[in-house]
Amino acid sequence: MSDQNAQKKQVPAIQGWFTMPPQEPHIIASKCSLCKGYFFPPAQVCRNPNCKKDGAMESVMLGNKGKLEAWSVNYFSPPPPYHAPDPFVPFGVGMVSLPEGISITGQISSGYDEKNLEVGMDMDVVIEKLYEDSQGNDVMAWKFKPAHR
Amino acid sequence: MNEVAILGVAMHPWGKIKDKSVPELNLEVAQKALKDAGLEWKDIQFVVAGSDPWSGVDGLLAGCRLSQKIGNNGIPVVNVYNACATGGYALKTAQAYINSGFCDYVLVVAASISPSGFFGVTTVGREDDPNDLDSQRFRILGLTNPTGFAFMATYRMHHYGMTENDLALVKVKNSKFGALNPLARFKKPFTVEDVLKSPMVTYPLRLYELCATSDGAAAIVLSSMKAAKKHTRKPVRLASVGIATPKYPDPRSGGYGLDIASDSGDLEFANGMGVRAAYNAYEEAGIGPEDLDLAEVYDLSSAFELGWYEEIGLCKRGEAEKLLREGVTGMGGRMPVNTSGGCASFGEAIPAQAMAQVCELTWQMRGASGARQVEGVKVGFSVNAGKQGNCSATVVKK
């Protein structure tokens, strides 16, 4: 048992979509060198139809402070591949606009009382555990946490 | 003028259909619509069928299986799938073929047998595939369709003062119409108290404010206006079909709130493609929202119905709740919306649902809607939106 714990790792839900601890928490997007558009999830080709598309797609860390645009609380377990805890625990989901002008959806940080969520709130990007995989690793991804700024 | 004649319409009652498959349902409604049109199968020159994503290859090749069942006659059969807007895309395809002079008589048909509960992912393979965005939205975000729908609701509550009572009122209004529609799945007229007592699924949306997953089938026989003269003196007309897909940087290009991220942080115009589909339909028909007598709008959730009032131009941004509360869009109101009962009373049989809207408008124009008939209607409108931002709208004229 203690051996397993010793081997327990944090693994990203998707490699390259966000930074991993102990780095500062950031979502990683693509930025087109020509039209300066930001794209998440990272894009191989610029998704602006009016762009010439022969520019380089640069990997950039998005600002990690944003505003809550809309939100909800899930009271029933989503179907797989959502990995639901047993018993199921309701959780918040929110859309947060980041300083680069794109908005990203994510779960609300575990342990926050969703009843206090409000459109327009300041939110921080955090990297948290989503679930434990079959090897006992913590699968990590971005979530949003209400900030006090 | 791109208008074509609606010669025949038919629907199978919506519900959870246990004893019939998609090919059987398509056969049944096709034969009913042909009878309604006064035509025979051998008169049909072109078939456009909405594919059912839940029924395997029989569902994907819905038109081919129908043709095989009713008697292959060598005509072109097109199978289309554009999520909730499938019916609209099917009608647009039929309209374009008729207006190009390729054919005079087209059968448009769709059926669906869907799973119960939340729609999940339909992809198979590695759940950590970064290109499988649908899997990632469930896995990383836990974002079901209703939760995506709820974003518009919390947005409206904050910006426009929508209340939980308003959400319930939409269901109450639509259930009043649905109670009078023999084709509807849910025929109980609801009270605000009934709705507010139903379980909270995804704040602020309750069970009875969300569209159920249903089974159903619809068929529509279209013809050129010229050919229609041989069959009827004054056919109901499909005056236009507007379709639209997302356009960069529409904020919600994957459909209502179902994206992992947007290309823009602007939620205000969350449904840009729905607005474009509606105005494409207005433009093609040469009318505007002020000319409408009634409308069918896609109420996947109560909040969406309110969004549509604004997006199709029935009122300005932020005024939809007022229209609802004043009864303008209700039974006996100046601008009745969802006289069929809407998704609130039908649930959604995805590929057939946009066609069901047109069937309702056709019956209303014929004066054949029974107890839910709106008197004196001449111009009807339908609009819907679905996954991947597929949207369609129609204008139906007496």
Side-chain angles (χ1 to χ4, degrees):
Chain A
M1 189 70 196
S2 58
D3 281 356
Q4 277 178 6
N5 280 343
Q7 287 165 4
K8 185 166 163 158
K9 288 186 298 193
Q10 289 184 334
V11 295
I14 299 283
Q15 185 75 42
W17 282 16
F18 48 88
T19 58
M20 284 288 282
Q23 282 181 275
E24 282 275 300
H26 284 281
I27 291 169
I28 299 173
S30 300
K31 183 183 180 185
C32 173
S33 62
L34 286 183
C35 75
K36 314 293 180 203
Y38 289 90
F39 302 96
F40 183 80
Q44 292 93 357
V45 177
C46 177
R47 290 205 294 266
N48 177 354
N50 303 314
C51 182
K52 277 187 177 165
K53 299 195 180 296
D54 49 1
M57 295 302 282
E58 184 192 345
S59 183
V60 291
M61 289 194 280
L62 297 176
N64 58 11
K65 295 179 193 316
K67 291 224 182 277
L68 189 62
E69 285 189 307
W71 59 277
S72 181
V73 182
N74 232 327
Y75 288 97
F76 288 85
S77 179
Y82 180 76
H83 293 253
D86 186 18
F88 172 72
V89 182
F91 62 97
V93 187
M95 294 171 55
V96 173
S97 60
L98 294 179
E100 290 79 6
I102 70 175
S103 106
I104 294 185
T105 300
Q107 293 188 28
I108 303 301
S109 175
S110 319
Y112 184 80
D113 188 352
E114 300 89 2
K115 281 192 283 293
N116 299 327
L117 290 171
E118 218 176 298
V119 171
M121 276 175 109
D122 288 323
M123 304 293 279
D124 288 338
V125 174
V126 292
I127 306 299
E128 278 185 14
K129 177 182 166 180
L130 280 182
Y131 60 91
E132 193 174 291
D133 72 12
S134 53
Q135 282 93 51
N137 300 320
D138 285 346
V139 178
M140 312 288 284
W142 73 93
K143 292 188 184 179
F144 297 111
K145 190 175 194 168
H148 300 284
R149 287 201 275 277
Chain B
M1 293 286 266
N2 289 340
E3 68 180 21
V4 295
I6 301 175
L7 289 186
V9 290
M11 283 170 65
H12 186 284
W14 259 228
K16 289 315 275 182
I17 303 170
K18 303 282 180 216
D19 56 341
K20 290 173 195 167
S21 64
V22 160
E24 287 172 290
L25 287 170
N26 277 331
L27 176 67
E28 192 175 321
V29 290
Q31 286 182 301
K32 270 191 195 153
L34 285 167
K35 195 171 173 199
D36 189 47
L39 292 175
E40 293 178 41
W41 167 241
K42 65 175 160 54
D43 298 320
I44 296 297
Q45 299 160 328
F46 189 78
V47 174
V48 191
S51 294
D52 183 32
W54 320 108
S55 298
V57 174
D58 269 5
L60 294 176
L61 298 177
C64 306
R65 283 289 281 119
L66 167 67
S67 179
Q68 187 185 26
K69 262 192 172 309
I70 200 167
N72 283 325
N73 57 6
I75 60 171
V77 176
V78 173
N79 303 283
V80 304
Y81 187 68
N82 291 80
C84 308
T86 296
Y89 275 75
L91 290 168
K92 187 74 196 172
T93 306
Q95 178 217 39
Y97 272 104
I98 291 170
N99 286 323
S100 72
F102 182 73
C103 54
D104 279 317
Y105 298 99
V106 183
L107 171 68
V108 183
V109 63
S112 184
I113 302 282
S114 64
S116 297
F118 290 129
F119 283 140
V121 293
T122 53
T123 45
V124 285
R126 285 170 41 216
E127 69 167 43
D128 60 348
D129 177 357
N131 289 301
D132 181 353
L133 295 185
D134 218 28
S135 285
Q136 299 319 326
R137 83 161 155 110
F138 283 97
R139 177 174 172 244
I140 297 178
L141 313 179
L143 181 61
T144 62
N145 290 10
T147 301
F149 304 163
F151 289 153
M152 186 197 264
T154 50
Y155 182 87
R156 289 199 74 87
M157 283 174 137
H158 182 81
H159 292 281
Y160 305 139
M162 187 188 78
T163 64
E164 291 189 34
N165 208 66
D166 292 327
L167 289 169
L169 260 184
V170 173
K171 172 72 170 187
V172 170
K173 172 187 82 68
N174 289 346
S175 73
K176 237 183 235 179
F177 285 118
L180 303 176
N181 191 341
L183 297 165
R185 174 179 174 188
F186 306 107
K187 298 192 186 76
K188 173 190 153 136
F190 282 80
T191 64
V192 168
E193 293 69 36
D194 292 335
V195 181
L196 292 180
K197 266 192 276 175
S198 71
M200 188 69 83
V201 174
T202 180
Y203 181 84
L205 298 175
R206 295 170 188 278
L207 185 64
Y208 293 153
E209 295 157 356
L210 286 161
C211 169
T213 57
S214 282
D215 310 331
I220 299 175
V221 176
L222 298 178
S223 81
S224 64
M225 290 305 292
K226 195 175 159 206
K229 292 208 176 78
K230 288 186 240 167
H231 307 279
T232 170
R233 220 153 48 89
K234 204 167 180 299
V236 172
R237 291 164 291 158
L238 181 62
S240 67
V241 186
I243 56 178
T245 59
K247 188 172 167 184
Y248 178 87
D250 275 340
R252 302 262 75 90
S253 59
Y256 279 127
L258 303 183
D259 309 84
I260 291 177
S262 72
D263 293 333
S264 141
D266 182 7
L267 239 195
E268 177 74 24
F269 299 103
N271 189 17
M273 47 272 177
V275 173
R276 285 197 298 278
Y279 281 82
N280 286 346
Y282 286 139
E283 192 182 340
E284 190 176 67
I287 65 159
E290 65 282 1
D291 298 310
L292 304 184
D293 296 315
L294 80 168
E296 290 281 304
V297 306
Y298 225 54
D299 54 324
L300 288 176
S301 81
S302 287
F304 280 1
E305 169 152 338
L306 295 168
W308 282 122
Y309 293 179
E310 299 161 4
E311 286 149 8
I312 70 172
L314 301 184
C315 62
K316 293 196 187 109
R317 273 276 165 207
E319 292 180 354
E321 287 78 6
K322 188 166 176 276
L323 237 58
L324 174 76
R325 291 172 197 159
E326 289 176 355
V328 172
T329 56
M331 201 174 277
R334 172 169 54 78
M335 179 62 219
V337 171
N338 284 335
T339 58
S340 66
C343 294
S345 305
F346 275 75
E348 187 188 20
I350 293 180
Q353 206 65 40
M355 290 171 59
Q357 293 180 315
V358 174
C359 289
E360 170 66 9
L361 295 177
T362 303
W363 285 317
Q364 287 284 351
M365 294 304 139
R366 288 178 181 175
S369 289
R372 63 185 195 286
Q373 180 68 44
V374 184
E375 290 309 317
V377 289
K378 292 194 174 74
V379 183
F381 184 82
S382 73
V383 69
N384 59 69
K387 190 158 170 58
Q388 213 61 43
N390 283 296
C391 294
S392 75
T394 72
V395 173
V396 174
K397 283 185 174 174
K398 193 173 175 177

